[in-house]
Amino acid sequence: MSEQEHKDIFEHWLQQHQALLFKVVRAYAVQKADQDDLFQEVCLQVWRSVPRFKGASAVTTWLYRIALHTAITWKKKVRRREEQNILYVRETPQHEIPPQKNAQLEWLFSEITRLDKIDRSIALLLLDGFSYKEMAEILGISESNVGVKIHRIKQRLTKRAAENQKNHTYGL
């Protein structure tokens, strides 16, 4: 693959699937500066992965795998840094993550960030319409495990939504 082909594929993937990448970034990084850092890391990993893409799966599946793996690894590194109280300098981002204006969507993403890494990944994949089989393939778990986890995630979100509604209704 020539350098120009590599660049063209990368730019096309980013242009076509930027929202997918932002969704994963937003689920794993709460603060804007962290989102910028993680987005840059995801883009770097996507760039590195272009030559390894053989077309055995859909581009979206490939990008989800990269983004989720990168986000999980990044989250572990950040947690270790925080635990060790290491300060680090962040570069100024050259892109903007589009703001979400829908309060329900904001609440949903807030709740998704509270899920553990596998449940968070499943929630994102579910929102994007991936099948149980595709989710199992991406995450390396069984389809039945995906189904059980989705059921539990829905129960948890339903319970939290009811609590949230009750608190807003009674002004708590």
Side-chain angles (χ1 to χ4, degrees):
M1 169 182 306
S2 73
E3 189 174 324
Q4 187 59 46
E5 289 172 323
H6 186 153
K7 180 181 176 193
D8 290 345
I9 291 169
F10 174 75
E11 289 176 353
H12 176 74
W13 284 0
L14 283 186
Q15 181 182 23
Q16 293 295 313
H17 306 289
Q18 186 174 3
L20 175 150
L21 300 176
F22 284 145
K23 189 181 302 178
V24 173
V25 165
R26 190 160 178 236
Y28 282 84
V30 177
Q31 302 297 321
K32 173 88 171 89
D34 290 339
Q35 290 174 352
D36 294 334
D37 282 350
L38 180 53
F39 184 78
Q40 289 176 358
E41 185 64 27
V42 168
C43 287
L44 175 63
Q45 295 307 321
V46 169
W47 171 261
R48 289 178 178 165
S49 78
V50 169
R52 293 189 308 271
F53 181 70
K54 304 296 183 214
S57 63
V59 172
T60 53
T61 301
W62 182 259
L63 292 176
Y64 250 116
R65 283 184 192 150
I66 294 165
L68 290 171
H69 177 74
T70 303
I72 290 167
T73 303
W74 176 86
K75 189 77 170 172
K76 287 178 186 176
K77 287 178 186 177
V78 167
R79 191 171 295 128
R80 270 188 253 128
R81 284 186 194 134
E82 289 171 352
E83 288 171 0
Q84 296 171 357
N85 293 323
I86 295 175
L87 300 176
Y88 56 97
V89 178
R90 295 186 174 107
E91 292 182 23
T92 304
Q94 296 181 0
H95 64 279
E96 283 294 315
I97 295 179
Q100 296 293 326
K101 296 179 183 175
N102 183 320
Q104 290 175 331
L105 192 57
E106 285 293 325
W107 176 86
L108 178 61
F109 273 98
S110 168
E111 291 301 317
I112 289 172
T113 62
R114 294 178 181 176
L115 299 172
D116 68 42
K117 64 184 178 182
I118 296 295
D119 289 353
R120 190 178 317 162
S121 300
I122 288 172
L124 292 174
L125 292 167
L126 183 64
L127 288 173
D128 273 343
F130 281 81
S131 70
Y132 285 24
K133 182 178 180 177
E134 291 169 319
M135 288 186 230
E137 180 184 325
I138 291 169
L139 299 170
I141 60 177
S142 71
E143 286 183 57
S144 60
N145 196 356
V146 169
V148 168
K149 288 185 171 292
I150 288 173
H151 178 73
R152 290 179 182 160
I153 291 166
K154 287 180 178 179
Q155 282 182 324
R156 178 178 176 182
L157 292 177
T158 301
K159 180 180 175 186
R160 293 283 297 141
E163 290 170 359
N164 188 43
Q165 183 64 31
K166 180 181 175 185
N167 290 343
H168 281 75
T169 303
Y170 297 108
L172 299 177

